[in-house]
Amino acid sequence: MTFKPFFVALALSAAAAAPISLLAATPAFAQAERDASAEGFVQTQASRALQILSSGENTAQKKADFRAFVDQVADVPRISGFVLGKYRRTITPGQYADFSDAFRGYANGVYESRLGQYRGQGLKVTGSIVRKPGDVVVSSQVTGGGKPANVQWRVVRAGSGWRVVDVNVAGVWLALTQQQDFVSTLDNNRGDIGVLIGQLRTQTPH
């Protein structure tokens, strides 16, 4: 099968139940306050992503720069656990390590593809909603290519900074969609993580 687009990833979960529940559903915005720190993080890092994708560097260097960026900005381990859903608790540490390696390459390619649609354009943060302390959805608009495109960024507090855990592009939360696809694949293959790993590696751009 071909998985629906994720970055992406960006990006962008945990072995424990609490971090998994962080992304367990499409965000329900219960609070109205904004978080200036989260907004500043997204403004800086999302603009940086678009700059990397718009650079005139050769393709191999651009891919390397973007993938390094993803590792810095997204909480890839947390996302990796989340997208496995119920199967995160049933696979061995070795299987999880193999999956994490395959997923990292696949997710980077998807984020690069989705955000690459906006290369050459600018980004402006338009607001944010605090779901709970340290868990914020930041809204932005990508401008410069006709009608502005809305992109939302789910960010969580990580030490003194922030990390991206999901991105909403064209109305689709990428990590949540990926979880649905992966769990369906595993359900259809009796939980065989090797099947999923093989499909991810086959579909990863090289």
Side-chain angles (χ1 to χ4, degrees), residues 122-191:
L123 181 139
K124 179 181 179 180
V125 166
T126 57
S128 62
I129 295 178
V130 178
R131 300 184 73 252
K132 61 182 180 181
D135 181 356
V136 183
V137 173
V138 178
S139 299
S140 67
Q141 283 192 333
V142 181
T143 59
K147 184 178 180 180
N150 295 320
V151 180
Q152 292 179 300
W153 311 78
R154 184 89 176 269
V155 299
V156 296
R157 176 71 68 178
S160 60
W162 297 91
R163 285 292 185 98
V164 176
V165 293
D166 205 353
V167 180
N168 185 317
V169 180
V172 177
W173 286 99
L174 302 183
L176 185 60
T177 300
Q178 210 71 76
Q179 185 196 70
Q180 294 166 351
D181 289 347
F182 287 4
V183 169
S184 176
T185 295
L186 290 168
D187 284 345
N188 292 333
N189 290 278
R190 299 182 180 181

Side-chain angles (χ1 to χ4, degrees), residues 38-53:
E39 291 182 20
F41 167 78
V42 169
Q43 180 67 66
T44 298
Q45 301 303 336
S47 296
R48 181 181 163 205
L50 295 179
Q51 288 174 356
I52 292 172
L53 294 172

Side-chain angles (χ1 to χ4, degrees), residues 9 50 57 61 71 153 174 199:
L50 295 179
E57 296 177 346
Q61 185 60 53
D71 286 343
W153 311 78
L174 302 183
Q199 292 184 358

